[in-house]
């Protein structure tokens, strides 16, 4: 009976020893094992056996990336502005043994190290740099804190400055300064726009004046050329008429005078002034007038040669005219308008 009780006690004790020696490590964690107070090895995630009452679990460390909140603190910048700053730190344990035995209170050590370097890095900057260069601040803090935590088996993966709060009066001053700067830029841009507009307008007027002057110059050249060609044509026509008269063809001057007569009459008819004109417009009267002009031309050319034409020569050269329209002889040349006066 006593033997059976003793065997039962031993069996229960063996079961307890077996359960005491079995250790299960969850995923994402590592356990350190100490034998009589000295570190021996690290248990990875999974099922492990240790010697009961000889080995024990020293520290249980999370190997996952962990976030640590950095509390708000006041920082004095390089230009003596006081700001309130807070942030976050992301770190990961790479070596469980070093993280457990190289530093005491790992989280507290990382937190104090980060806060100290935040004051150091941000205190060496002006307020404007502090507000505009957060990436630079984060990079400097990460470099410094990561180098300091390497002996602890820690990898600091990221440090982010979450909020920077200047004093309220400083914020108001910055807002007024920004508004004044924006107003100045707006005035400068407006003045620059007015200047560019005036320049472009003046350039346009200049180009318009140049083009207008060039147009007037070209028109003057064309008018002069037209007048020159018209004068040349007139001179050529006069020369041809003169040659025809000199060769004895009196009909040429009759045609020339008749053409001028009709042109003058056309221009007089198109005149805007109101007139009352009485003149012989019958064909026989016009031919008679032209004949009188031709007779005057013959007398003029004959006088220029120093001889007076005889009746025979005059009769042979003068064109046939209707007797009714022959102008009466007078001391002056007959009028091309006939006997009727013009009023």
């Amino acid at each position: 009976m006593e033997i059976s009780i003793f065997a039962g006690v031993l069996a229960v004790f063996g079961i307890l020893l077996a359960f005491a020696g079995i250790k299960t490590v969850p995923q994402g964690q590592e356990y350190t094992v100490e034998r009589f107070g000295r570190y021996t090895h690290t248990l990875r995630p999974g099922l492990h056996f240790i010697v009961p009452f000889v080995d024990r679990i020293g520290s249980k460390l999370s190997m996952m990336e962990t976030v640590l909140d950095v509390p708000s603190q006041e920082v004095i910048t390089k230009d003596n502005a006081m700001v309130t700053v807070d942030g976050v730190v992301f770190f990961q344990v790479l070596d469980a043994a070093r993280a457990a035995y190289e530093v005491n209170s790992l989280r507290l050590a990382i937190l104090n190290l980060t806060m100290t370097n935040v004051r150091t890095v941000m205190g060496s900057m002006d307020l404007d740099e502090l507000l505009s260069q957060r990436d630079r601040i984060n990079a400097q803090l990460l470099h410094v804190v990561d180098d300091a935590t390497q002996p602890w088996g820690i990898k600091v993966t990221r440090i982010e400055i979450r909020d920077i709060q200047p004093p309220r009066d400083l914020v108001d001053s910055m807002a007024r300064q920004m508004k004044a700067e924006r107003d100045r830029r707006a005035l400068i841009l407006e003045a620059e726009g007015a200047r560019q507009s005036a320049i472009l307008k003046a350039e346009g007027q200049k180009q318009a004046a140049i083009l207008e002057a060039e147009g007037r110059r070209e028109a003057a050249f064309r008018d002069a050329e037209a007048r020159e060609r018209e004068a040349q044509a007139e001179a050529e026509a006069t020369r041809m008429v003169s040659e025809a008269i000199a060769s004895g063809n009196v009909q040429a001057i009759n045609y020339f005078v008749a053409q001028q007569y009709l042109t003058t009459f056309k221009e007089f008819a198109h005149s805007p002034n109101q007139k009352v004109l009485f003149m012989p417009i019958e064909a026989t009267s016009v031919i008679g007038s032209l004949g009188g002009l031709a007779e005057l031309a013959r007398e003029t050319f004959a006088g220029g040669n120093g001889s007076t034409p005889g009746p025979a020569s005059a009769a042979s050269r003068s064109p046939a005219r209707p007797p009714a329209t022959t102008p009466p002889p007078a001391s002056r040349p007959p009028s091309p308008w006939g006997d009727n006066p013009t009023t």
Side-chain angles (χ1 to χ4, degrees), residues 303-320:
N305 293 328
S307 61
T308 302
S313 62
S316 63
R317 292 184 181 181
S318 60

Side-chain angles (χ1 to χ4, degrees), residues 66-322:
T66 306
V67 58
L68 185 62
D69 191 10
V70 179
S72 299
Q73 59 177 333
E74 293 183 348
V75 177
I76 300 176
T77 62
K78 185 178 180 180
D79 52 354
N80 297 326
M82 184 173 291
V83 295
T84 302
V85 182
D86 62 353
V88 290
V89 180
F90 295 86
F91 69 94
Q92 185 178 11
V93 178
L94 300 180
D95 192 337
R98 295 170 65 184
Y101 301 109
E102 294 292 337
V103 62
N104 190 17
S105 300
L106 178 63
R107 287 175 173 267
L108 182 61
I110 296 175
L111 181 61
N112 283 277
L113 182 63
T114 304
M115 293 176 65
T116 303
N117 284 279
V118 164
R119 287 193 295 268
T120 301
V121 173
M122 300 182 71
S124 62
M125 296 182 178
D126 295 333
L127 180 61
D128 293 338
E129 295 179 347
L130 203 67
L131 297 175
S132 61
Q133 298 185 6
R134 292 198 180 188
D135 293 338
R136 175 186 169 189
I137 297 172
N138 295 334
Q140 290 185 2
L141 287 174
L142 179 62
H143 177 71
V144 173
V145 176
D146 187 40
D147 289 343
T149 56
Q150 278 186 357
W152 303 343
I154 301 298
K155 174 63 178 177
V156 179
T157 58
R158 185 178 303 173
I159 296 179
E160 296 289 341
I161 298 299
R162 186 164 51 190
D163 192 14
I164 300 176
Q165 295 180 354
R168 185 62 189 176
D169 56 348
L170 188 58
V171 173
D172 294 338
S173 299
M174 293 173 61
R176 290 194 299 270
Q177 179 183 1
M178 181 182 66
K179 184 176 182 300
E181 181 67 20
R182 295 296 176 87
D183 292 339
R184 183 182 69 86
R185 292 181 182 178
L187 292 176
I188 291 175
L189 291 177
E190 185 177 357
E192 186 68 21
R195 174 175 172 270
Q196 288 294 116
S197 176
I199 291 175
L200 293 177
K201 185 177 180 180
E203 286 290 335
Q205 294 177 353
K206 176 184 175 183
Q207 292 295 329
I210 292 174
L211 292 177
E212 184 178 359
E214 290 181 354
R216 291 196 303 268
R217 176 189 176 190
E218 185 68 21
F221 286 162
R222 296 295 176 88
D223 292 341
E225 185 178 358
R227 289 195 299 269
E228 181 181 356
R229 292 187 178 182
E230 184 178 0
Q232 290 177 358
E234 187 73 19
E236 183 67 20
T238 304
R239 184 186 62 81
M240 294 177 65
V241 171
S242 300
E243 290 179 356
I245 294 174
S247 63
N249 188 3
V250 186
Q251 298 295 331
I253 193 171
N254 291 336
Y255 172 77
F256 185 75
V257 173
Q259 184 180 11
Q260 294 295 324
Y261 177 80
L262 294 176
T263 302
T264 305
F265 179 74
K266 179 180 178 181
E267 292 178 355
F268 186 81
H270 285 84
S271 175
N273 298 326
Q274 295 181 358
K275 302 178 180 66
V276 178
L277 178 65
F278 296 96
M279 57 178 296
I281 60 174
E282 293 83 4
T284 57
S285 300
V286 173
I287 294 173
S289 299
L290 296 179
L293 291 176
E295 184 69 23
L296 179 62
R298 284 197 301 272
E299 293 177 359
T300 301
F301 283 107
N305 293 328
S307 61
T308 302
S313 62
S316 63
R317 292 184 181 181
S318 60
R321 297 191 304 274

